[in-house]
Amino acid sequence: MPELPDFSAVIFDLDGLVLDTESTYFSAWQQASGLMGHDCSEAFCRSLSGLQFTDIEQRLLAAFGNQFNLQVFRTLSTQAWRELVAQQGIAVKPGFRQLLAALKKLRLPFALATNSPQVNALECLTLAGLENTFANLIARDHVRAGKPEPDIYLQAAQQLQTPIRHCLVLEDSYNGVLSAHRAGASVIYVPSGLPSAEAGLLSTRSVENLNQVAQLIEYKFS
């Protein structure tokens, strides 16, 4: 098995990587846009993966026109999302718990770096039963610019007291991979949907799931 580059800390993305939140977001966006008379396709939703919400809103305006009411969309999509997660909760992605156990066994520090605001990230973690998992959490409201800019990952490395070049980032979207690449970190790409060739080119490795990430890390330190 090919070895990973040297690293001494791990940084997780949240949406689509640790939690299967993206399917709930997509469903809420589609429901809200449908009520507003617009078709928000699955492909369009996936193109928004990894973006901060201000960028998502700009994409919505570009797709549906400047008359598209963002405030109404926010209200409707939030209501749809809360109804959905109240019914089904939020699933943890396969392999996360195995990977977390491996990191703790190896005493590797880790952090969560997300484009979501802190309050949203904490709510999603609680709904998934992971509320006490991340002692180090860097959210969109902690930095000047969100992904795909490098700020979130640079802040995460600083909080971990580890140079970013010694951090291994785990990402599921092109925008997240680009953010980590710009920061100077090594990246494992774990696509949550159809793989992006561009993300694969910027990544150190591409794998199918977090179980494979755990195996790579355990092999690295064996």
Side-chain angles (χ1 to χ4, degrees):
M1 183 183 297
E3 280 200 15
L4 297 172
D6 291 339
F7 65 93
S8 53
V10 175
I11 307 176
F12 291 84
D13 174 48
L14 177 63
D15 296 307
L17 191 284
V18 171
L19 300 181
D20 186 16
T21 47
E22 291 192 320
S23 62
T24 64
Y25 296 151
F26 296 170
S27 177
W29 295 343
Q30 289 175 318
Q31 184 173 333
S33 61
L35 289 171
M36 297 172 68
H38 296 278
D39 179 21
C40 192
S41 69
E42 180 80 11
F44 178 68
C45 287
R46 292 207 170 277
S47 75
L48 307 177
S49 178
L51 291 174
Q52 57 188 321
F53 199 71
T54 53
D55 291 336
I56 289 173
E57 290 184 330
Q58 292 305 308
R59 296 281 185 92
L60 289 168
L61 290 176
F64 302 139
N66 289 329
Q67 300 306 310
F68 185 76
N69 192 319
L70 292 175
Q71 184 57 54
V72 171
F73 177 79
R74 289 188 207 106
T75 301
L76 291 174
S77 61
T78 298
Q79 180 181 348
W81 183 81
R82 292 197 179 281
E83 291 175 354
L84 182 62
V85 298
Q87 294 171 1
Q88 66 181 40
I90 296 177
V92 179
K93 297 288 280 189
F96 172 72
R97 289 186 170 87
Q98 177 187 344
L99 174 54
L100 187 66
L103 297 181
K104 290 180 176 180
K105 180 179 179 181
L106 293 167
R107 299 178 183 270
L108 286 171
F110 57 91
L112 186 71
T114 175
N115 249 354
S116 295
Q118 178 175 323
V119 63
N120 293 5
L122 292 174
E123 180 180 15
C124 288
L125 287 168
T126 298
L127 286 166
L130 298 177
E131 59 268 28
N132 298 315
T133 301
F134 292 97
N136 299 294
L137 190 159
I138 299 83
R140 172 63 186 90
D141 35 346
H142 297 158
V143 296
R144 181 187 60 81
K147 304 174 190 178
E149 298 306 315
D151 303 37
I152 286 176
Y153 282 116
L154 293 172
Q155 182 68 25
Q158 183 176 346
Q159 190 163 320
L160 289 168
Q161 299 183 328
T162 304
I164 188 64
R165 66 183 182 279
H166 295 157
C167 293
L168 180 67
V169 168
L170 310 179
E171 267 288 357
D172 71 295
S173 70
Y174 169 70
N175 290 298
V177 168
L178 180 58
S179 172
H181 177 76
R182 286 173 170 173
S186 298
V187 191
I188 296 183
Y189 176 44
V190 191
S192 55
L194 290 174
S196 159
E198 293 87 351
L201 290 173
L202 294 177
S203 303
T204 305
R205 291 289 301 272
S206 297
V207 300
E208 294 180 358
N209 54 56
L210 294 178
N211 282 306
Q212 294 178 355
V213 177
Q215 293 168 8
L216 286 168
I217 290 176
E218 289 169 338
Y219 179 79
K220 172 72 176 177
F221 290 93
S222 62

